[in-house]
Amino acid sequence: MLSACMALIDEPSDKEKFEEIYSSYKDMMYETAVSVIKDETEAEDIVQDSFLKIAKNISKFSEAVSSKTASFILIIVRNTAYDYLRKGKHIETIPYDDNINTSDEIFMPEFEKVLSDSGMGNVMDMISDIDKVYSDVLKLKYIYGCTNSEIGQLFDISLKNVEMRIYRAKLMLKEKMEGNGYAVE
């Protein structure tokens, strides 16, 4: 497994970073996968698939061991587990509407206002309060700087599905912001 992932990485420094991520987070990843899928055998497959995704996106990790890295890895593992559940038809997927404008410009002035008024901590609290399926895409997009295409690859979903999740996440966040006294148009 480790050698297959290492083959995907070109830079020696990135290989070292990956090895450190592997040794530091493999147990946490396994426990997370088991907690979502409730099957130890499938959890091992989920961890392997997650490490492949990490190897393909190793440049997104600025440090091998940090709270930001741990959070990013948890998002990857959790969503890989959800993919397994979805493929096994254990959970329903949410349909999307082709007529909704899902552009990134929606609600951005409000996000900037919240950031300037109350700082990142308050925004992270509000984002954490929404459903994980949606909060994860917001975190990957706006905190980790992933493109919609990269998010789609990480979650094994279409670009349109990524756009719809971001749109829905923004709507949920808008509702949270209004509930916290921010005037959102």
Side-chain angles (χ1 to χ4, degrees), residues 46-89:
I46 290 165
V47 171
Q48 288 179 4
D49 288 352
S50 297
F51 273 121
L52 287 170
K53 291 176 183 181
I54 291 167
K56 290 177 186 175
N57 293 281
I58 194 68
S59 64
K60 292 286 181 188
F61 296 89
S62 57
E63 300 176 69
V65 178
S66 71
S67 60
K68 189 174 180 179
T69 298
S71 178
F72 194 0
I73 290 170
L74 281 174
I75 290 169
I76 292 169
V77 173
R78 188 173 48 240
N79 282 280
T80 302
Y82 291 149
D83 290 343
Y84 269 70
L85 288 173
R86 198 172 25 261
K87 288 175 184 173
K89 305 297 183 217

Side-chain angles (χ1 to χ4, degrees), residues 40 44 57 75 85 89-90 92 141 147 165-166 184:
E40 293 179 2
E44 291 173 4
N57 293 281
I75 290 169
L85 288 173
K89 305 297 183 217
H90 299 291
E92 282 185 41
K141 176 96 177 151
T147 65
R165 285 187 188 184
I166 291 170
V184 182

Side-chain angles (χ1 to χ4, degrees), residues 103-120 122-124 126-127 138 142 167 169-185:
S103 72
D104 285 339
E105 289 78 34
I106 296 175
F107 310 127
M108 287 314 294
E110 290 83 3
F111 288 131
E112 291 172 12
K113 181 181 182 329
V114 172
L115 283 173
S116 64
D117 289 351
S118 56
M120 189 63 156
N122 195 19
V123 173
M124 288 305 298
M126 286 187 266
I127 290 172
L138 279 183
Y142 296 109
Y167 173 78
K170 289 177 181 179
L171 288 177
M172 290 175 196
L173 185 56
K174 178 182 176 187
E175 189 175 297
K176 290 280 181 197
M177 290 168 59
E178 290 171 340
N180 284 299
Y182 294 97
V184 182
E185 300 175 13

Side-chain angles (χ1 to χ4, degrees), residues 35-38 42 46 77-95 131-134 136 155-157 161 165:
S35 73
V36 172
I37 204 140
K38 312 290 189 247
E42 284 191 350
I46 290 165
V77 173
R78 188 173 48 240
N79 282 280
T80 302
Y82 291 149
D83 290 343
Y84 269 70
L85 288 173
R86 198 172 25 261
K87 288 175 184 173
K89 305 297 183 217
H90 299 291
I91 60 173
E92 282 185 41
T93 57
I94 300 170
D131 187 297
K132 292 290 181 215
V133 170
Y134 301 106
D136 287 349
F155 293 172
D156 196 24
I157 58 176
N161 196 311
R165 285 187 188 184

Side-chain angles (χ1 to χ4, degrees), residues 1-8 18:
M1 172 62 207
L2 186 59
S3 60
C5 292
M6 296 295 271
L8 298 172
F18 181 83

